[in-house]
Amino acid sequence: MELPLVEPFETSFGVEDRRRFLLVRLEARDGRLGWGECVATREPLYSSESVATSEWVLSRYFLPGLLRLPRPDPAAFEQLARRFRGHHMARAAVEAALLDLEAQRRGRPLSASIGGRRRRVEVGVSVGIQSSPERLVRRVGRYLDTGYRRVKLKVRPGWDARPVAAVRRAYPDLEIWVDANQAYRPTAAERIRTWASRLGVAQVEQPFPERAIRAHADLTRGAPFRVCLDESVVDRPSLDDALAARALTSLNVKVGRVGGPRTARGLARRGDRAGVPVWVGGMLESGIGRALNVHLASAPEFSLPGDLSASDRYYHDDLLERPFTLGPGSTLEVPRGPGLGVEISERSLRRATRRVRTVRP
Ligand code: OSB
Ligand code: MG
């Protein structure tokens, strides 16, 4: 698939102006369709996965394996997929499509399968690096006018204290989070602590490399802001170890990064039980991936606003007949229909499709 973003999204690892991604469409014998979005990006910049590695592992292992299962349900697929190392985003897309099918058969919304209860979920907006602090302030201002109540500013060395200070000056009471996507060396910890404290930043996400658990633990100690892990937590053991090391005071859960909605919920429960606030992260999903994220966020363990914005923050056309819109109190509505509960627009889908590959039993 290829979808042009409403505006380019710049992070410490690169700029994206059109998103390339895979969709998994499972066709059941009864004719029902289950959908899963694979959040791997064109280039392996956020993590080691990419569209090409996902396509390869899906067509070579995950999908043929799924088609050989006597009962192809989410639990059986999880068993099968666990044999293979990594490739979490590819695996998550299949599990998502299976959950969609299963929930449709039960005539229940997907949220019910993963313990969701809420009718609306609280959301914020993630704001990319801009060409100047003034432009950033204007961008944030427009999001606040739209109704978002917390912003997450992308930062990196050279784009941190100054732009964040400009936003703070313009909005003295705003809830500000920052996310560095691993861009700092551990030696930058004291400087980060200084500006983040002075500017009243509520949360600093993944400042250091994925494996730098001790650096995150050092920053966490005595910090007046939460330290959030994203890339460092990819499964249950990595979360358990990070918790034991006290390397986080907030947890970003992304379905793709951890290998599926079921694991995502398990990690959220684990974080919540350990007293760490948990929230649903985003990967600039189309409406299909975002619908799943919204169902996940309706589970009770998620206590901070997710990176799940309205459709028009990402795409002019996000593949749905009825786009997600921002509701009262900076919320999105959890779809109530069976499965994902969204109607996919055939026309938009056709327009965004670059290539189709079919795997048969
Ligand atoms: O680190 O949270 C991140 C987008 C792409 C890759 C990584 C991240 C992000 C975001 C966007 O912050 C969140 C969203 O989808 O709204
Ligand atoms: Mg992040």
Side-chain angles (χ1 to χ4, degrees):
M1 312 297 294
E2 180 175 309
L3 274 184
L5 283 154
V6 166
E7 60 189 67
F9 187 70
E10 181 166 354
T11 64
S12 64
F13 57 79
V15 195
E16 245 184 307
D17 62 352
R18 45 194 45 244
R19 198 164 150 260
R20 300 274 208 118
F21 60 102
L22 301 171
L23 286 178
V24 170
R25 190 186 84 149
L26 296 180
E27 196 177 325
R29 269 194 273 275
D30 60 11
R32 286 186 220 271
L33 300 177
W35 291 90
E37 179 165 343
C38 175
V39 298
T41 44
R42 182 140 192 255
E43 319 283 348
L45 297 173
Y46 165 79
S47 75
S48 63
E49 289 186 85
S50 68
V51 169
T53 64
S54 301
E55 186 177 353
W56 168 74
V57 79
L58 283 164
S59 54
R60 170 87 195 248
Y61 296 104
F62 292 162
L63 295 174
L66 173 70
L67 294 174
R68 280 193 299 268
L69 288 173
R71 263 185 58 92
D73 61 20
F77 175 70
E78 202 184 342
Q79 279 281 101
L80 173 157
R82 219 179 305 152
R83 279 187 58 219
F84 302 102
R85 312 284 180 208
H87 301 286
H88 285 188
M89 293 172 176
R91 176 177 140 188
V94 179
E95 190 180 298
L98 285 167
L99 279 170
D100 181 20
L101 274 179
E102 188 183 68
Q104 287 179 46
R105 274 197 207 103
R106 293 178 179 156
R108 306 271 291 143
L110 204 153
S111 54
S113 315
I114 42 182
R117 306 236 175 80
R118 303 179 177 122
R119 290 168 159 235
R120 313 193 67 94
V121 299
E122 219 182 307
V123 304
V125 60
S126 175
V127 191
I129 293 167
Q130 310 288 315
S131 55
S132 70
E134 296 71 37
R135 287 225 167 80
L136 176 66
V137 170
R138 276 203 297 277
R139 198 77 210 71
V140 167
R142 283 202 298 273
Y143 286 133
L144 297 179
D145 292 343
T146 313
Y148 293 104
R149 280 202 199 144
R150 74 100 175 119
V151 298
K152 176 172 117 176
L153 309 177
K154 290 292 190 178
V155 295
R156 63 163 145 72
W159 180 264
D160 48 28
R162 220 161 67 87
V164 176
V167 173
R168 174 53 77 219
R169 222 173 298 121
Y171 302 104
D173 301 324
L174 177 62
E175 167 109 2
I176 300 177
W177 301 3
V178 298
D179 184 2
N181 291 106
Q182 320 186 53
Y184 294 89
R185 294 163 180 240
T187 50
E190 283 320 304
R191 294 202 45 233
I192 296 171
R193 185 191 298 278
T194 303
W195 60 256
S197 308
R198 176 166 48 87
L199 300 172
V201 169
Q203 172 168 304
V204 176
E205 179 174 344
Q206 200 73 45
F208 309 122
E210 180 183 335
R211 300 269 172 38
I213 294 304
R214 191 183 323 181
H216 288 99
D218 290 345
L219 183 63
T220 301
R221 213 169 309 116
F225 45 81
R226 295 187 297 271
V227 174
C228 175
L229 292 183
D230 175 351
E231 290 93 322
S232 294
V233 173
V234 296
D235 51 18
R236 179 63 190 250
S238 53
L239 176 58
D240 287 344
D241 286 0
L243 287 170
R246 298 182 189 279
L248 70 160
T249 40
S250 172
L251 176 63
N252 169 331
V253 171
K254 287 179 184 163
V255 170
R257 197 187 71 231
V258 306
R262 290 151 50 94
T263 304
R265 167 117 207 268
L267 297 190
R269 297 174 80 140
R270 174 76 179 99
D272 184 53
R273 272 200 313 275
V276 168
V278 184
W279 55 288
V280 174
M283 292 290 287
L284 309 177
E285 288 87 349
S286 77
I288 296 174
R290 199 159 44 262
L292 173 66
N293 288 344
V294 168
H295 284 290
L296 178 65
S298 73
E301 297 76 36
F302 294 93
S303 58
L304 293 174
D307 272 351
L308 309 164
S309 309
S311 298
D312 65 2
R313 180 257 170 269
Y314 306 98
Y315 304 103
H316 292 296
D317 176 350
D318 78 346
L319 308 179
L320 302 183
E321 289 291 348
R322 282 171 305 281
F324 281 96
T325 54
L326 194 68
S330 198
T331 59
L332 295 184
E333 199 175 335
V334 182
R336 311 284 288 281
L340 280 177
V342 290
E343 190 183 336
I344 296 171
S345 157
E346 282 302 328
R347 198 159 152 265
S348 313
L349 201 61
R350 219 175 307 119
R351 207 170 19 216
T353 302
R354 291 288 160 274
R355 206 150 47 75
V356 179
R357 192 161 165 176
T358 307
V359 181
R360 294 179 196 287

